[in-house]
Amino acid sequence: MSSAISVSSLYKTYSTGFEALKNINLDIRHGEIFALLGPNGAGKTTLISTICGIVNPTSGTILADGHDIIKEYRAARSKIGLVPQELTTDAFETVWNTVSFSRGLFGKPAKPAHIEKILKELSLWDKKDSKLMTLSGGMKRRVMIAKALSHEPEILFLDEPTAGVDVELRRDMWNVVRALRESGVTIILTTHYIEEAQQMADRIGVISHGEIILVEEKAELMRSLGRKQLRLFLQEKRDEVPEALAQYELELSSDGCELIYHYDTQKERTGITALLKDLDKAGVRFKDIQTRESSLEEIFVNLVRERK
Amino acid sequence: MNLYAIKAIYLFEMHRTWRTIMQSVISPVVSTSLYFVVFGSAIGGRIPEISGVSYGAFIVPGLIMLSLLTQSISNASFGIYFPKFVGTIYELLSAPVSYLEIVVAYVGAAATKSIILGVIILATAALFVPLRIEHPFVMLLFLVLTAVTFSMFGFIIGIWADGFEKLQLVPLMIITPLTFLGGSFYSIEMLPPFWQKVTLFNPVVYLISGFRWSFFGLSDVHIGTSLAMTALFLIACILILRWIFTTGYRLKS
């Protein structure tokens, strides 16, 4: 089975000489949610724009559902829906017209029932006759999503869909994304909010300085890079870590009430048993224990920092 | 052919026209009427007939051409410049539409509007001066050909322009002078011999001359030459557009 999106040896150098993408190779599977993470200016938007036909690639090939995006652009593009990062709308058009326009542009005959369904799902139905200029930013964002879904795409790109969006809209949006995934749509998203990638994505790609530095199953990524923390809440305040426990490289919280132990979940021995024994020997008593996995954000920050 | 896309863009553009009906239809009609009042009635009464045609009637084809050219250019250039300016062009670039379809839709809509306008101005003129049209089919052919050609030219300007100033510059600095000096208000035979020669480099001369011939059978240059020049300009625009779209000039980085 071919991939939903297959990028091979893709380079993009802008006319200014800036190398935005360097040797990108990426396969996105049918029906998955793929989160593309990376700092600002890493090349996320350039990559999406190139796949969608807005930016010309310098070299390399891109297939969308097996169709070359340049030679078979009609077949390729009609499968793709794009929600760009910037809020750009035709101020004087109504919601209904602009969404219907998008459907026509993508070569589909009018289907009011489908437009109605999308508008209702995105809570835009009561705004259908409003001009876009009268809508709030969050509402405009919904319209952009409705436009992208108007032609029933099989692959959906969401470029920073939740940037500057309130909690309610984010929740609505993720409900729509989940429903789309269930109906078999492949979703590629970029986001600042790493907890969203953590919640939503099946796989995660990290891009930095125009290169894909990592593509991994989310769970796998969390597991392989994840470090855990064991926090011990002490019964008595301490000024320093007992010397007998030096080998564990414990950290004492600034208020002196907690001891923090870092360990790697991947290792055969985490050292917890020994630590607890030694704590007992040293006469350290504690009232509570807590363990915590590092978040994707911490993993991501570490990854990008390592590359520098 | 993605006919749905052509239809969508065409209707979108026409909708824009209806929305801005005052600016796009009524104001050219008002300004043209003023020309008739001033040149046709007030001053025109003191100017002798030109080859048997009253001055008021003589300027009608030129005035229609003046509106047709400026409106085709401004409408088509704005139609494509605005999406570029606000950013909605992303959708056009990512849609499964060919360049040909984009041009057909945008230029078709701009030309439609100009032709409607030309007909309205013609009807307005008929209220002021008695008119006769000797070759109605040639008249229509010129109307359509000019509207399409200059809408294409406007489309090119809209892609080329990277600011509102440039958008205004070409119509204002090039088209308006060329039209005024192209024989809208006079026959080029009235010019001194040297300027008669110079004027032949003005492409608008051929449009106005051909158009006037379709009304009165009078022309400064042969009707065949006029048609050939218009066709030549049309082909030049098509070639430029093809180049723009194959290179992605000012559209894609």
Side-chain angles (χ1 to χ4, degrees):
Chain A
M1 194 174 81
S2 69
S3 304
I5 297 284
S6 172
V7 180
S8 41
S9 322
L10 176 68
Y11 286 84
K12 173 63 192 178
T13 308
Y14 283 106
S15 53
T16 53
F18 176 66
E19 289 181 290
L21 298 174
K22 296 170 222 167
N23 195 18
I24 301 279
N25 291 284
L26 182 64
D27 276 282
I28 292 171
R29 300 171 195 151
H30 280 284
E32 73 173 338
I33 298 185
F34 186 90
L36 192 60
L37 302 178
N40 289 333
K44 300 187 294 284
T45 300
T46 302
L47 178 57
I48 288 183
S49 300
T50 311
I51 296 172
C52 294
I54 298 167
V55 170
N56 287 325
T58 305
S59 64
T61 50
I62 303 170
L63 306 179
D65 200 22
H67 302 284
D68 186 288
I69 60 141
I70 292 170
K71 293 189 200 99
E72 305 163 80
Y73 69 93
R74 264 192 221 276
R77 291 182 187 177
S78 58
K79 303 206 180 269
I80 297 177
L82 166 66
V83 182
Q85 195 173 338
E86 307 267 330
L87 281 177
T88 55
T89 49
D90 293 298
F92 304 103
E93 281 295 337
T94 64
V95 172
W96 180 271
N97 284 350
T98 197
V99 176
S100 304
F101 168 80
S102 299
R103 186 175 168 87
L105 197 59
F106 277 76
K108 294 276 168 76
K111 191 172 166 191
H114 177 67
I115 309 277
E116 182 176 336
K117 180 172 154 267
I118 303 173
L119 293 185
K120 283 185 172 158
E121 277 172 0
L122 288 161
S123 317
L124 280 170
W125 184 243
D126 56 332
K127 299 274 183 195
K128 69 181 164 50
D129 298 317
S130 303
K131 285 189 176 174
L132 294 173
M133 57 197 263
T134 64
L135 301 183
S136 67
M139 282 291 173
K140 282 184 189 149
R141 180 74 67 186
R142 288 171 203 243
V143 174
M144 308 274 294
I145 297 171
K147 279 166 82 75
L149 295 177
S150 65
H151 64 282
E152 299 160 83
E154 290 168 27
I155 303 163
L156 180 68
F157 284 91
L158 297 162
D159 195 358
E160 303 274 359
T162 50
V165 154
D166 65 23
V167 180
E168 192 191 355
L169 175 52
R170 273 162 77 177
R171 209 181 44 220
D172 279 9
M173 204 172 314
W174 295 130
N175 286 338
V176 171
V177 167
R178 275 194 203 98
L180 284 170
R181 202 266 279 274
E182 267 157 37
S183 67
V185 176
T186 307
I187 294 153
I188 297 109
L189 59 94
T190 71
T191 175
H192 278 339
Y193 300 105
I194 292 171
E195 72 267 26
E196 284 178 353
Q198 200 167 340
Q199 278 171 27
M200 301 293 304
D202 299 307
R203 284 199 306 156
I204 287 171
V206 177
I207 184 168
S208 178
H209 297 287
E211 289 174 88
I212 299 266
I213 57 180
L214 177 130
V215 175
E216 193 96 68
E217 298 286 337
K218 180 186 64 183
E220 189 64 32
L221 179 67
M222 303 282 294
R223 212 174 304 132
S224 64
L225 294 168
R227 290 172 62 78
K228 281 188 94 167
Q229 270 186 352
L230 173 69
R231 298 172 90 89
L232 301 153
F233 297 88
L234 304 173
Q235 284 191 346
E236 289 141 23
K237 251 190 190 179
R238 287 187 167 270
D239 299 327
E240 52 182 19
V241 181
E243 236 166 77
L245 301 170
Q247 56 160 318
Y248 298 103
E249 296 175 354
L250 296 177
E251 199 182 305
L252 187 69
S253 65
S254 52
D255 59 3
C257 295
E258 284 170 48
L259 278 174
I260 302 153
Y261 174 57
H262 297 275
Y263 62 100
D264 193 333
T265 51
Q266 290 306 97
K267 284 202 177 138
E268 193 94 326
R269 293 166 183 276
T270 56
I272 293 177
T273 320
L275 172 68
L276 292 178
K277 270 186 191 156
D278 287 344
L279 279 167
D280 190 36
K281 268 189 212 159
V284 179
R285 299 172 67 81
F286 37 88
K287 50 185 177 191
D288 201 0
I289 294 181
Q290 185 193 57
T291 66
R292 196 172 74 84
E293 248 170 315
S294 49
S295 70
L296 198 51
E297 178 151 13
E298 288 160 319
I299 296 173
F300 169 69
V301 168
N302 285 337
L303 256 179
V304 174
R305 197 182 291 144
E306 274 169 33
R307 302 281 299 193
K308 279 188 181 161
Chain B
M1 269 299 222
N2 184 347
L3 291 176
Y4 290 112
I6 296 180
K7 187 179 151 200
I9 299 172
Y10 183 86
L11 292 180
F12 177 89
E13 282 297 295
M14 291 312 286
H15 188 225
R16 192 167 64 82
T17 303
W18 307 135
R19 206 168 53 214
T20 54
I21 192 99
M22 278 300 280
Q23 175 206 327
S24 38
V25 176
I26 298 185
S27 77
V29 170
V30 169
S31 61
T32 312
S33 303
L34 289 174
Y35 280 121
F36 283 124
V37 172
V38 175
F39 292 108
S41 308
I43 301 177
R46 293 161 188 260
I47 298 176
E49 291 189 345
I50 299 171
S51 312
V53 179
S54 78
Y55 185 70
F58 181 85
I59 62 169
V60 171
L63 283 177
I64 295 175
M65 273 291 159
L66 181 68
S67 288
L68 206 59
L69 296 188
T70 48
Q71 287 302 309
S72 295
I73 289 174
S74 74
N75 193 29
S77 62
F78 198 77
I80 189 68
Y81 176 76
F82 200 65
K84 258 186 7 162
F85 177 70
V86 297
T88 49
I89 188 112
Y90 84 87
E91 201 177 18
L92 197 61
L93 295 177
S94 65
V97 284
S98 70
Y99 304 138
L100 181 68
E101 289 152 8
I102 295 178
V103 172
V104 166
Y106 274 101
V107 169
T112 305
K113 181 177 151 185
S114 305
I115 292 167
I116 293 173
L117 195 70
V119 172
I120 293 175
I121 292 175
L122 185 61
T124 315
L127 299 176
F128 289 92
V129 287
L131 276 180
R132 62 169 206 272
I133 301 171
E134 281 187 9
H135 309 280
F137 288 109
V138 179
M139 198 272 298
L140 271 177
L141 177 69
F142 255 100
L143 201 66
V144 173
L145 208 58
T146 309
V148 169
T149 306
F150 281 81
S151 295
M152 271 193 193
F153 186 58
F155 189 84
I156 293 170
I157 293 171
I159 288 176
W160 166 76
D162 48 13
F164 278 99
E165 201 189 30
K166 276 192 184 170
L167 204 60
Q168 306 284 352
L169 203 68
V170 173
L172 197 70
M173 301 299 287
I174 301 176
I175 299 304
T176 308
L178 284 184
T179 317
F180 272 85
L181 301 176
S184 298
F185 297 103
Y186 55 84
S187 163
I188 60 171
E189 282 166 25
M190 296 174 180
L191 297 172
F194 172 73
W195 290 108
Q196 281 191 30
K197 290 271 182 299
V198 172
T199 244
L200 291 178
F201 287 98
N202 177 354
V204 179
V205 165
Y206 300 93
L207 295 173
I208 294 177
S209 166
F211 199 48
R212 188 171 285 140
W213 179 84
S214 71
F215 280 77
F216 310 119
L218 298 174
S219 60
D220 293 325
V221 292
H222 191 268
I223 176 68
T225 317
S226 287
L227 277 171
M229 290 300 279
T230 315
L232 205 67
F233 197 59
L234 180 69
I235 292 166
C237 287
I238 293 173
L239 291 178
I240 295 172
L241 278 172
R242 222 180 60 174
W243 174 81
I244 283 177
F245 278 116
T246 45
T247 58
Y249 172 78
R250 296 267 163 115
L251 286 173
K252 290 188 188 188
S253 48

